[in-house]
Amino acid sequence: MSALPPNQTYGCGPRPWALLALGLLCAPSAPQDSVAEEFAQTRPDVIIRVQKAPTGADYVHIQMVAADYPADLLRRQCEMVGEYAGTPVRGLRISQTPLSAGPEDEDMRVLGADFATDFIIDADRGILRLLPFAKAFAGAPSPHTVRCLAIAFEGVTPQEDVTLRNAETDSATVRGVYDARMGVVEYRVVLTTQDPSRIDIPETAQQQTIPPETPSKERSDSAIIWWIAGAAALAGLLVYFALRPYRGRRSAEP
């Protein structure tokens, strides 16, 4: 059975990740470069987390940043993820989850979705597919237009010279980081078009349009030195919880 088990979100609820974000804020910072800085300063409109299930399915958890995001629109977008991935979604649940159990935060709720699908994580080939999410969330009418997606793949290790890191196309800009401690690869996908038919994102490093930096001698003992490792890898979640009170604000226009 590949659908999500009842009442289970495989550890992806907002409160544990909020605590993790606070812990990362107190952790020593890893060496950063211009890509890491750009990554951390890009505010997402949607946060997506993907994890491979023991059954082989891909579990997906989605959180919208805007508090007034329509539930029916999110449902349609989740269904479109499955269509673009090549298989229908299963066990789709749309929910409003409070950020805190305290009465003073009772109106602070996250619109989210959970479902299972396939063909998103190909661990054997080192491929993490971004395109189904980018296409599915493109084209939403204003004021609910999604311009930036934060997509985190949990429990994965990028393959050197295979897993996509950065890319720039006529339709999107992609930046990726990796946190080896958490086993998380996270991307920022900034859409420069809202036409799903025009969105093109490469799947592998061989196709990426921005070459990785040449590693320094001091860092040459790492098998994945071309990834930005450390506390920056979950910067999207730090940004999310830092900016969540500003529920009416949207990402800047491109």
Side-chain angles (χ1 to χ4, degrees):
M1 181 176 180
S2 56
L4 288 170
N7 301 320
Q8 181 177 334
T9 56
Y10 49 91
C12 286
R15 292 186 66 192
W17 281 82
L19 294 175
L20 173 61
L22 291 175
L24 288 177
L25 282 173
C26 300
S29 297
Q32 304 294 304
D33 60 15
S34 59
V35 173
E37 182 178 356
E38 177 184 357
F39 184 96
Q41 292 179 354
T42 305
R43 177 180 184 257
D45 297 299
V46 56
I47 295 174
I48 302 168
R49 300 198 294 276
V50 188
Q51 184 182 64
K52 180 67 71 176
T55 60
D58 297 313
Y59 284 171
V60 179
H61 177 75
I62 295 176
Q63 293 170 270
M64 302 308 301
V65 171
D68 59 348
Y69 203 83
D72 58 343
L73 175 58
L74 177 57
R75 179 179 295 276
R76 291 197 302 271
Q77 290 167 325
C78 291
E79 292 169 347
M80 291 301 298
V81 170
E83 290 193 26
Y84 286 120
T87 181
V89 302
R90 305 179 295 282
L92 175 60
R93 296 195 303 271
I94 307 294
S95 60
Q96 289 272 3
T97 305
L99 279 178
S100 172
E104 68 279 4
D105 294 325
E106 61 182 9
D107 64 331
M108 296 284 289
R109 291 179 174 270
V110 176
L111 178 66
D114 295 276
F115 59 87
T117 188
D118 301 300
F119 312 129
I120 300 295
I121 297 176
D122 187 340
D124 292 338
R125 298 171 60 200
I127 294 176
L128 307 173
R129 297 184 66 199
L130 304 171
L131 194 59
F133 297 109
K135 285 179 171 286
F137 279 89
S142 179
H144 307 299
T145 305
V146 172
R147 297 180 177 86
C148 178
L149 301 86
I151 307 175
F153 296 89
E154 303 175 14
V156 299
T157 301
Q159 294 185 24
E160 188 172 5
D161 298 327
V162 176
T163 306
L164 181 71
R165 176 185 175 184
N166 302 318
E168 287 187 6
T169 70
D170 292 338
S171 56
T173 298
V174 177
R175 297 289 184 268
V177 297
Y178 173 59
D179 190 322
R181 297 173 303 169
M182 301 302 300
V184 175
V185 174
E186 189 183 352
Y187 294 94
R188 285 293 181 283
V189 179
V190 178
L191 301 178
T192 54
T193 179
Q194 289 293 316
D195 182 353
S197 67
R198 293 179 53 200
I199 296 177
D200 179 32
I201 298 175
E203 289 192 346
T204 67
Q206 288 88 346
Q207 300 170 315
Q208 71 184 31
T209 55
I210 303 177
E213 303 94 351
T214 302
S216 65
K217 182 177 181 181
E218 291 77 8
R219 302 174 64 195
S220 62
D221 58 343
S222 170
I224 47 174
I225 45 182
W226 42 278
W227 284 89
I228 304 162
L234 294 178
L237 295 170
L238 301 184
V239 172
Y240 175 74
F241 287 107
L243 297 181
R244 186 61 180 89
Y246 299 97
R247 296 187 294 276
R249 294 175 59 184
R250 305 286 301 163
S251 296
E253 297 282 349

